[in-house]
Each structure stands twice: as structure tokens, then as C-alpha cells.
């Protein structure tokens, strides 16, 4: 079990309201979300605190309510509000990885048993955690190649202009901007607005 710094409490309704905004929890029936909300622990991790270590046994799905977390695995990732930590590790029964609060973080902790029951009962819920980690090329290989998928123009898929920042932007500011626009990447540009 990870070292927890401080426990908090919130009204159940506020927890439920948050869960219905987060994928894949928003795919669950409202009655199930109400039950999950009753089992959630709320933990506060001050800036610089380890949330997980590489040798940690994971006992919870960590759902980030606020703050930014740095994940160190094969590559460094940053996660923020609405993201989670530990999903695929819980499904596979694997140990944790290094996760650090790079600003004050509040997490909803969903017990392992509750999380795994949701995965067993709702395949679409489990699939979200399993497919999120697979590289796009692997996902495409597993699908039957359909010409229409491969001939769609990228311009047809773009729904908004790319989120950008200057190279002088701090990592925290860039991560906050990504969270604000709900995107998984940001384009770093030079003074002439050209991608670096």
C-alpha cells in the first residue's frame, strides 16, 4: 500500500458529479457510479511527494481530481485532472511505477476489488484501460484493415487548432494548458510560430 499523506472527505454528490465527467466512468450506469462513489478514498499529496514507487504493490486506481503527476516508466508522462494511475497494472497484477506529485495533488482512490469488479462486469470499461496503453500501430494491426480508415485525410479529423506553447514555457504550464483543452500533446513553437 502506498504511503498516504493526508485523507480528505467530500460529499458523495460531488464525487459522483466528478465521476460522470471522466472516461470511462461516464460509460457506467448512474446507479453503479453512486455505489463506486461510496467506496472511494480521497488522498492529498503535497508537491514533491511520491504517490507510487516502482516496487509498490498497487491497491487502488488513482483517479486525479486536481494537480499534476509525473509518471516515469519507459518514457516520462504527465497526467492531470481526470487522468488515472495504475489501471493496467491492477488488471495485470503488476507492481507500480514511479509517480510523483509535481504540484499539490488530490486523488480519488478506487479500491482494487471495486475496480476489478467493474472491469469484469463492464467490458467497455476494461477495454478503455487495456487499449489506452497500446501504441496506435499495434491497435491498427489488430483491426481488419479497412481502406476507408487508411484513406481519411488528417484535415478531416482535426476538430480544433493544435494547442501550442513556446520553448520557454514551464512543463507545469504546458501540462495545465493540455488539461485545459483536454489534449494529450502540445506543439512547441518558435518565435515565428513554426513547430520546433
Amino acid at each position: 500500500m502506498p504511503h498516504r499523506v493526508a485523507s480528505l472527505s467530500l460529499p458523495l454528490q460531488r464525487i459522483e458529479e466528478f465521476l460522470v465527467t471522466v472516461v470511462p466512468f461516464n460509460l457506467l450506469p448512474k446507479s453503479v457510479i453512486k455505489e463506486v462513489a461510496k467506496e472511494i478514498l480521497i488522498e492529498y499529496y503535497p508537491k514533491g511527494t511520491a504517490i507510487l514507487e516502482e516496487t509498490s504493490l498497487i491497491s487502488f486506481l488513482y483517479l486525479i481530481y486536481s494537480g499534476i503527476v509525473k509518471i516515469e516508466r519507459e518514457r516520462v508522462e504527465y497526467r492531470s485532472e481526470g487522468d488515472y494511475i495504475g489501471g493496467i497494472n491492477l488488471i495485470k497484477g503488476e507492481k507500480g511505477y514511479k509517480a510523483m506529485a509535481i504540484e499539490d495533488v488530490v486523488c480519488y482512490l478506487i479500491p482494487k476489488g471495486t475496480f476489478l469488479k467493474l472491469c469484469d462486469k463492464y467490458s467497455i470499461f476494461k477495454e478503455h484501460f487495456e487499449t489506452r496503453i497500446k501504441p496506435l500501430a499495434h491497435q491498427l494491426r489488430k483491426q481488419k484493415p479497412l481502406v476507408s480508415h487508411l484513406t481519411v485525410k488528417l484535415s478531416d479529423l482535426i476538430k480544433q487548432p493544435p494547442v501550442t506553447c513556446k520553448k520557454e514555457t514551464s512543463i507545469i504550464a504546458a501540462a495545465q494548458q493540455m488539461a485545459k483543452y483536454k489534449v494529450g500533446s502540445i506543439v512547441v513553437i518558435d518565435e515565428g510560430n513554426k513547430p520546433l
Side-chain angles (χ1 to χ4, degrees), residues 13-38:
Q13 183 179 355
R14 195 159 157 201
I15 296 171
E16 293 166 19
E17 289 169 357
F18 181 73
L19 289 177
V20 297
T21 68
V22 175
V23 177
F25 292 89
N26 64 341
L27 304 173
L28 300 173
K30 290 200 186 323
S31 60
V32 172
I33 289 173
K34 283 183 174 295
E35 292 305 310
V36 170
K38 292 176 187 174

Side-chain angles (χ1 to χ4, degrees), residues 33-194:
I33 289 173
K34 283 183 174 295
E35 292 305 310
V36 170
K38 292 176 187 174
E39 297 187 37
I40 284 178
L41 301 174
I42 303 169
E43 299 297 338
Y44 168 73
Y45 300 92
K47 178 181 178 178
T49 304
I51 298 171
L52 282 179
E53 296 289 346
E54 292 172 282
T55 56
S56 302
L57 289 176
I58 301 180
S59 301
F60 301 96
L61 176 75
Y62 295 77
L63 184 56
I64 302 169
Y65 178 74
S66 65
I68 300 175
V69 177
K70 179 180 180 182
I71 308 285
E72 293 183 39
R73 292 192 286 191
E74 301 86 44
R75 63 180 190 266
V76 174
E77 301 173 42
Y78 294 89
R79 300 200 182 156
S80 61
E81 181 182 323
D83 286 330
Y84 52 82
I85 305 166
I88 197 65
N89 297 69
L90 287 172
I91 291 170
K92 292 184 172 184
E94 296 174 348
K95 289 190 177 180
Y97 42 82
K98 192 171 181 181
M100 178 77 64
I102 62 170
E103 64 179 39
D104 290 354
V105 171
V106 174
C107 286
Y108 287 174
L109 276 57
I110 300 169
K112 178 180 180 177
T114 302
F115 173 74
L116 293 176
K117 283 179 191 172
L118 292 172
C119 288
D120 289 342
K121 189 165 183 179
Y122 302 96
S123 60
I124 193 164
F125 183 83
K126 182 178 182 182
E127 287 169 10
H128 173 80
F129 294 94
E130 291 177 327
T131 58
R132 179 175 172 177
I133 63 155
K134 294 178 184 172
L136 178 60
H138 177 72
Q139 290 182 44
L140 288 174
R141 255 186 266 125
K142 289 192 78 169
Q143 294 176 359
K144 294 178 183 170
L146 297 173
V147 176
S148 62
H149 280 114
L150 303 176
T151 59
V152 172
K153 294 179 184 175
L154 290 174
S155 61
D156 295 336
L157 299 175
I158 296 172
K159 304 238 186 297
Q160 65 185 31
V163 178
T164 62
C165 70
K166 302 286 186 186
K167 66 181 179 181
E168 298 81 21
T169 305
S170 72
I171 290 174
I172 291 174
Q176 288 171 333
Q177 197 165 342
M178 290 166 57
K180 176 181 175 183
Y181 292 102
K182 300 184 185 326
V183 296
S185 59
I186 192 165
V187 178
V188 181
I189 57 174
D190 63 16
E191 297 306 318
N193 293 330
K194 299 288 182 196

